[in-house]
Amino acid sequence: MPAADPDLEFFRTLEQKLHRPEVRRSPDAVRALLADEFIEFGSSGTVYDKASIVAALVEESTAEAALVPDVHHFAVQSIAPDAVLVTYRSSRRYPDGTGTRTTLRSSIWKLIDGRWQMLFHQGTVVPSP
């Protein structure tokens, strides 16, 4: 699928795979979704590369991994013949149930060797009202 007319549901499915606990806990599944040059500016302020995000997700607590976020305002747009920009807002409850954390998210997906892989991701926490 060329990026000229990106399929919203296709990219939503790809993006949300990384939200699922069974994918997050599988180093092979995460490696398959991330490009070798992957970089993330995490909502915590931490900068991750592919190896560090794979390691961080394996260490994620079961309770935290199980908190799949709700996704709102999902959008996808072509930024090059082989790349798309995905943007959305995610919200998820804190593990202790005391509130919700809302984050603005953006990802760049690139077609690499016939397979879409995430090249870049950023999460920015939205302050609580």
Side-chain angles (χ1 to χ4, degrees), residues 7 14 17 34 36 56 59 68-69 98 100 104 122 128-129:
D7 179 336
L14 269 181
K17 281 183 180 183
L34 303 182
D36 289 341
E59 295 298 319
V68 176
T98 60
T100 302
L104 297 176
Q122 180 169 355
S128 299

Side-chain angles (χ1 to χ4, degrees), residues 3-4 17 28 41 46-47 62 72 84 88-89 95 105 112 114 129:
K17 281 183 180 183
D28 290 338
F41 296 156
T46 303
V47 178
T62 303
H72 311 279
V84 299
Y88 60 100
R89 180 181 292 253
R105 300 199 175 270
I112 301 169

Side-chain angles (χ1 to χ4, degrees), residues 8-110:
L8 183 100
E9 290 307 315
F10 173 81
F11 287 102
R12 181 191 306 263
T13 298
L14 269 181
E15 187 80 27
Q16 289 184 295
K17 281 183 180 183
L18 288 164
H19 298 171
R20 296 188 354 228
E22 68 273 16
V23 172
R24 295 172 75 82
R25 306 287 289 171
S26 168
D28 290 338
V30 174
R31 281 188 205 100
L33 289 166
L34 303 182
D36 289 341
E37 301 83 14
F38 173 81
I39 189 163
E40 175 176 340
F41 296 156
S43 58
S44 64
T46 303
V47 178
Y48 299 95
D49 62 9
K50 183 175 183 173
S52 62
I53 199 71
V54 168
L57 291 177
V58 167
E59 295 298 319
E60 190 173 50
S61 74
T62 303
E64 189 172 29
L67 296 172
V68 176
D70 293 324
V71 172
H72 311 279
H73 310 295
F74 192 91
V76 60
Q77 63 184 3
S78 177
I79 57 173
D82 60 351
V84 299
L85 171 65
V86 165
T87 57
Y88 60 100
R89 180 181 292 253
S90 70
S91 58
R92 68 183 216 178
R93 293 212 168 275
Y94 291 116
D96 63 7
T98 60
T100 302
R101 176 176 162 158
T102 301
T103 308
L104 297 176
R105 300 199 175 270
S106 60
S107 302
I108 296 175
W109 288 86
K110 183 170 174 55

